[in-house]
Structure formats: structure tokens, C-alpha cells
Amino acid sequence: MVPGWLAVLGPGAIAIGGLILGGVYFPLSIIVGCVLAAVLAERSAFFAVAVQPPLITAATVAGAVILGEPLLDGATQLAETFPYLGGTIVAVLVILALRSRATTRMEKAM
């Protein structure tokens, strides 16, 4: 299992890479990074993993605007990412719920 700090920083780094590549790579990087974090994170990091998709998206776009990207381009990327973001949030929550339930069952069986 991946420690909590890596489960948060990893998807953030992947999202920054997707933003640099631009186009469809940005929403895909958020999806891949957050779903991988949900699958690989240790149980103590579940809350951080659950709330990170919108936070990573907003922080990445805001960082790009601060570093010189036009505000309208940042807002456009945020708007284009929104449908993917909703699906990512649902997928992450489902994965974490299934993992939590499985872990609880395994602990009770022991």
C-alpha cells in the first residue's frame, strides 16, 4: 500500500503533467491519478484520497493561471474538466467504499 502523502502528491504531479501536455491529457491525468490513489492508498489516507479530485483540479488550474496562463483559458479548462471530475469523484468513492468494506470483513474474519 502507498502511504498517505504519496497518495496525495502522486495524483497532483500526474495532473500537472497532464496540464502541461494540454488537451484531453489534463482530464485523463486527473482520472488516472485519482483512481490509482484510491486503489493503492493505505486505509488511513482514505479521506484525503476521497476529497482530492476537486482540490487537485482547482489547485492545478489556479497554479497555471498564477504562472501566467490567461484566466479565460484556465476557466475553460476547469469547465471542460467538470464532467470528468464528477465521474472521477463517484469512481473514487465507490472504490474506497468497496476497499473499506473488504478490509472490515477481513479484520472481522481474523
Side-chain angles (χ1 to χ4, degrees):
M1 292 292 124
V2 174
W5 65 270
L6 187 57
V8 173
L9 292 180
I14 292 171
I16 290 170
L19 184 66
I20 291 170
L21 292 175
V24 72
Y25 295 110
F26 180 56
L28 288 177
S29 67
I30 292 171
I31 294 167
V32 169
C34 291
V35 168
L36 278 175
V39 170
L40 299 175
E42 58 189 20
R43 188 172 179 162
S44 63
F46 277 10
F47 178 76
V49 171
V51 299
Q52 76 182 356
L55 295 176
I56 287 175
T57 304
T60 305
V61 171
V65 169
I66 288 171
L67 292 175
E69 184 175 325
L71 181 60
L72 187 57
D73 289 347
T76 302
Q77 284 183 336
L78 193 58
E80 289 173 351
T81 306
F82 187 75
Y84 299 104
L85 184 60
T88 304
I89 292 169
V90 170
V92 166
L93 292 176
V94 167
I95 291 168
L96 293 177
L98 292 173
R99 285 193 57 207
S100 180
R101 180 170 285 184
T103 305
T104 304
R105 285 187 181 171
M106 286 184 358
E107 289 174 354
K108 286 182 181 180
M110 293 180 159

